C-alpha cells in the first residue's frame, strides 16, 4: 500500500517546528538523533510524503521526530492516496500455490488494517482529495464502503476510485453520499443508468466526470448537470446511446474506445460545448451520430490507431466553427494527404493543424542519411495558390524523426497553406531512438542525432523558400 500525502505546509511545519524546538533543548538528545533527522523540517516533511506507508512506519521507529512527522502529516493533509496492490501468483509453481495465496491474503489483511489506522489519524474536518486504488476481492467490499464513508464525511471534493472490474463493486454509495463532489474519476466499475441519475441529483456541484472501463452501461443519460464542464468516457464497450440535457457549462467531451463502438444515438444539449476529442482504435467507429455536435465545436482532436478510419474522415460535414484541428497518428499508416485536404476544406476557418506521428515502425536511423537529404528533399518548392487552406495559420509537428514520409508530408501540406505564420517542429526525444531494447536487431547510425537536426534545418530552409515571412521553430 502506498500512501501519498501532500501536506498543508503552513500548518504542518508550524506544528512540527514547535515540537522540534522543544526536543532540541537537550543536547544529549540531539546527539542521539540520526543524521537525516537533523535536516530542516520542510525537507523531512518532503521525504515523508514520498514514502510508502510501510516505509514510513519503519522510519517512525528510527526516532521520535520521524514518528511525530508521520502522525502530524496525516492529521493535516488535504489529500490522501491509498494504493492496495495484490501480489501476482502467475509464476508460482502449483505445489506452492495454496501457501502463496494464504501469504498474500495475510499481507493484504495487514495492509487493510493499516488503512484504517491512517484514516483514524486524520483529524482535519475536511479532506479535499481522496484516491483509492484497491485490488481486493468481493468479500472485501465492505472495507471500500467504510473508507468511502470516511471520505464522504470529510466533504471530499475530488474522488478517484480505481477497482478491478472482476470485483463487481456496486458504487451506489458514491452516488448517494458525496454531496460536495466536484471531480469524480471511476475506473473498472460497472455503473448503471440509475447510478448516473442519482450521482448528478446528489452531487449538484460536479464539474468533472471521468468514466473508464465501465462495461455494462449501454446508455449514458445525464438529465440535469448545471455545473458539468468536462466529460470523459473510455473503453465502455456496450455504450450505444449518449444523451445530455441541461448542461449549459459543458465545454469538453473526450471519447476513447479500444473496441468497436457505434453510437445509435447522440443527443447533446450543451450550448457552450467547444471541444471534442476522439481516440479511435477500431475500423468500425463512425462519426455519423456526432455530426450535429461537430458542427458547433471550435476544437477537434482525433487520435487514430487504425488505417481504415482515414476513409471516414472526409465524411464529416462542414465544420463551420472549427478553429483548431489536432490529428494524432499512432501505430498506423499515414492518412492519405487528400483526406487531410478534404478535412481542411470542410473546416475553412481552421487556424491550427498539429500532428504527432507515432507510426515510426522502423528505427529512424535506417531512413535517414545525408545523401538521403540531398536526394529526396526537392531543390525548389512553391506555394500552390489553387486551394482552400487560406486560414491555416499554425502548423505543429511533434516527434519529428527526420524520416522521408514526415518531410514529404510537411512540404505537401505547406504547399497548400498560403497564409501559414508559424511552423513548430519538435525533434524526437533522444531516449526514444537510443533505446536499444526497443529497437533490437536494428543497425544503429551513431550520427543519427546530428542527421535528425540537420534534416530539420534543411527542411526549415525549404519551408522559408515557400513562406519567407513564416516563423519556423525547431525544438
Amino acid at each position: 500500500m502506498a500512501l501519498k500525502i501532500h501536506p498543508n505546509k503552513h500548518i504542518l511545519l508550524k506544528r512540527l517546528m514547535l515540537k522540534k524546538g522543544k526536543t532540541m533543548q537537550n543536547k544529549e538528545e540531539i546527539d542521539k538523533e540520526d543524521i537525516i533527522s537533523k535536516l530542516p523540517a520542510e525537507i523531512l516533511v518532503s521525504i515523508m510524503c514520498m514514502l510508502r506507508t510501510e516505509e514510513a512506519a519503519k522510519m517512525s521507529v528510527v526516532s521520535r521526530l520521524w514518528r511525530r512527522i508521520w502522525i502530524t502529516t496525516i492529521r493535516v493533509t488535504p489529500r490522501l492516496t491509498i494504493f492496495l496492490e495484490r501480489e501476482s501468483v502467475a509464476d508460482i509453481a502449483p505445489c506452492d500455490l495454496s501457501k502463496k495465496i494464504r501469504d498474500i491474503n495475510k499481507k493484504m489483511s495487514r495492509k487493510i488494517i493499516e488503512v484504517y489506522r491512517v484514516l483514524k489519524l486524520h483529524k482535519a474536518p475536511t479532506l479535499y482529495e481522496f484516491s483509492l486504488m484497491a485490488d481486493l476481492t468481493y468479500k472485501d467490499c465492505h472495507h471500500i464502503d467504510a473508507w468511502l464513508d470516511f471520505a464522504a464525511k470529510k466533504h471530499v471534493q475530488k474522488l478517484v476510485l480505481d477497482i478491478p472490474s472482476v470485483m463487481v463493486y456496486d458504487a451506489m454509495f458514491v452516488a448517494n453520499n458525496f454531496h460536495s463532489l466536484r471531480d469524480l474519476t471511476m475506473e473498472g466499475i460497472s455503473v448503471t443508468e440509475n447510478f448516473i441519475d442519482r450521482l448528478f441529483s446528489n452531487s449538484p456541484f460536479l464539474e468533472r466526470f471521468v468514466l473508464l472501463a465501465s462495461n455494462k452501461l449501454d446508455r449514458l443519460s445525464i438529465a440535469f448537470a448545471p455545473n458539468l464542464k468536462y466529460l470523459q468516457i473510455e473503453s465502455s464497450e456496450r455504450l450505444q446511446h449518449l444523451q445530455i440535457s441541461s448542461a449549459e457549462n459543458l465545454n469538453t467531451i473526450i471519447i476513447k474506445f479500444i473496441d468497436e463502438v457505434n453510437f445509435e444515438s447522440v443527443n447533446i444539449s450543451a450550448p457552450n460545448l467547444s471541444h471534442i476529442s476522439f481516440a479511435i482504435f477500431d475500423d468500425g467507429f463512425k462519426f455519423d451520430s456526432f455530426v450535429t455536435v461537430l458542427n458547433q465545436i471550435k476544437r477537434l482532436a482525433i487520435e487514430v490507431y487504425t488505417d481504415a478510419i482515414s476513409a471516414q474522415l472526409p465524411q464529416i460535414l462542414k465544420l463551420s466553427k472549427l478553429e483548431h484541428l489536432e490529428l494524432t497518428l499512432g501505430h498506423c499508416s499515414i492518412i492519405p494527404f487528400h483526406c487531410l485536404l478534404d478535412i481542411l476544406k470542410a473546416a475553412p476557418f481552421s487556424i491550427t493543424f498539429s500532428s504527432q506521428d507515432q507510426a515510426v515502425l522502423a528505427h529512424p536511423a535506417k531512413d535517414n542519411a545525408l545523401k538521403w537529404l540531398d536526394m529526396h528533399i526537392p531543390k525548389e518548392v512553391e506555394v500552390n495558390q489553387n486551394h482552400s487552406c487560406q486560414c491555416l495559420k499554425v502548423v505543429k509537428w511533434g516527434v519529428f524523426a527526420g524520416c522521408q514520409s514526415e518531410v514529404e508530408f510537411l512540404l505537401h501540406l505547406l504547399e497548400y497553406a498560403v497564409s501559414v505564420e508559424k511552423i513548430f517542429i519538435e525533434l524526437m526525444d533522444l531516449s526514444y531512438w537510443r533505446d536499444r531494447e526497443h529497437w533490437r536487431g536494428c543497425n544503429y547510425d551513431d550520427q543519427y542525432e546530428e542527421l535528425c537536426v540537420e534534416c530539420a534545418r534543411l527542411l526549415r530552409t525549404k519551408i522559408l523558400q515557400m513562406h519567407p515571412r513564416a516563423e519556423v521553430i525547431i525544438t
Side-chain angles (χ1 to χ4, degrees), residues 14-30:
K14 183 177 179 181
R15 295 181 181 180
L16 184 59
M17 291 302 292
L18 287 174
K19 294 182 178 180
K20 187 175 181 181
K22 294 179 181 179
T23 303
M24 294 305 169
Q25 292 177 1
N26 190 325
K27 188 176 183 306
E28 292 182 359
E29 188 173 354
I30 294 176

Side-chain angles (χ1 to χ4, degrees), residues 37 186 296 309 315 372:
S37 298
M186 303 179 66
Q296 78 175 70
I309 199 70
Q315 298 176 9
W372 177 85

Side-chain angles (χ1 to χ4, degrees), residues 48 56-57 59-73 117 121:
M48 183 62 75
M59 289 298 294
S60 67
V61 179
V62 173
S63 69
R64 290 188 294 274
L65 175 60
W66 278 107
R67 180 171 179 79
R68 286 196 298 274
I69 295 173
W70 170 236
I71 294 176
T72 306
T73 301
R117 178 193 170 203
L121 286 172

Side-chain angles (χ1 to χ4, degrees), residues 220-283:
L220 178 59
S221 180
I222 302 176
F224 183 66
N227 291 298
L228 185 65
K229 299 177 180 178
Y230 179 98
L231 175 65
Q232 181 174 341
I233 313 166
E234 290 190 24
S235 301
S236 298
E237 299 174 359
R238 299 186 181 181
L239 190 60
Q240 294 182 327
H241 305 274
L242 178 61
Q243 296 181 346
I244 303 175
S245 304
S246 301
E248 58 269 20
N249 288 308
L250 183 60
N251 175 268
T252 302
I253 295 179
I254 311 294
I255 298 177
K256 299 184 178 182
F257 292 111
I258 296 178
D259 298 314
E260 179 177 346
V261 175
N262 283 320
F263 283 84
E264 294 183 7
S265 64
V266 175
N267 187 0
I268 300 176
S269 176
N272 291 308
L273 182 64
S274 62
H275 177 202
I276 291 184
S277 177
F278 295 99
I280 304 164
F281 293 80
D282 191 271
D283 300 345

Side-chain angles (χ1 to χ4, degrees), residues 93 112 210 217 224-225 230 369 420:
I112 290 173
V210 179
L217 188 67
F224 183 66
Y230 179 98
V420 68

Side-chain angles (χ1 to χ4, degrees), residues 148-292:
L148 291 177
D149 181 59
F150 159 86
K153 290 178 179 178
K154 296 285 184 176
H155 308 290
V156 162
Q157 296 185 35
K158 182 176 181 179
L159 177 64
V160 178
L161 192 57
D162 182 357
I163 298 175
S165 57
V166 294
M167 186 175 171
V168 194
Y169 174 70
D170 182 1
M172 286 304 296
F173 184 90
V174 176
N176 292 327
N177 294 279
F178 283 82
H179 307 297
S180 302
L181 205 58
R182 294 180 181 273
D183 189 330
L184 174 61
T185 298
M186 303 179 66
E187 182 170 2
I189 302 172
S190 296
V191 302
T192 62
E193 288 186 59
N194 186 35
F195 170 88
I196 301 295
D197 291 338
R198 299 293 291 273
L199 173 66
F200 283 92
S201 296
N202 294 316
S203 304
F205 303 108
L206 192 62
E207 298 177 357
R208 190 175 186 273
F209 182 40
V210 179
L211 185 63
L212 312 176
S214 182
N215 296 325
K216 291 186 178 181
L217 188 67
D218 64 347
R219 180 185 297 272
L220 178 59
S221 180
I222 302 176
F224 183 66
N227 291 298
L228 185 65
K229 299 177 180 178
Y230 179 98
L231 175 65
Q232 181 174 341
I233 313 166
E234 290 190 24
S235 301
S236 298
E237 299 174 359
R238 299 186 181 181
L239 190 60
Q240 294 182 327
H241 305 274
L242 178 61
Q243 296 181 346
I244 303 175
S245 304
S246 301
E248 58 269 20
N249 288 308
L250 183 60
N251 175 268
T252 302
I253 295 179
I254 311 294
I255 298 177
K256 299 184 178 182
F257 292 111
I258 296 178
D259 298 314
E260 179 177 346
V261 175
N262 283 320
F263 283 84
E264 294 183 7
S265 64
V266 175
N267 187 0
I268 300 176
S269 176
N272 291 308
L273 182 64
S274 62
H275 177 202
I276 291 184
S277 177
F278 295 99
I280 304 164
F281 293 80
D282 191 271
D283 300 345
F285 186 89
K286 290 181 173 55
F287 293 95
D288 301 13
S289 301
F290 291 90
V291 168
T292 302

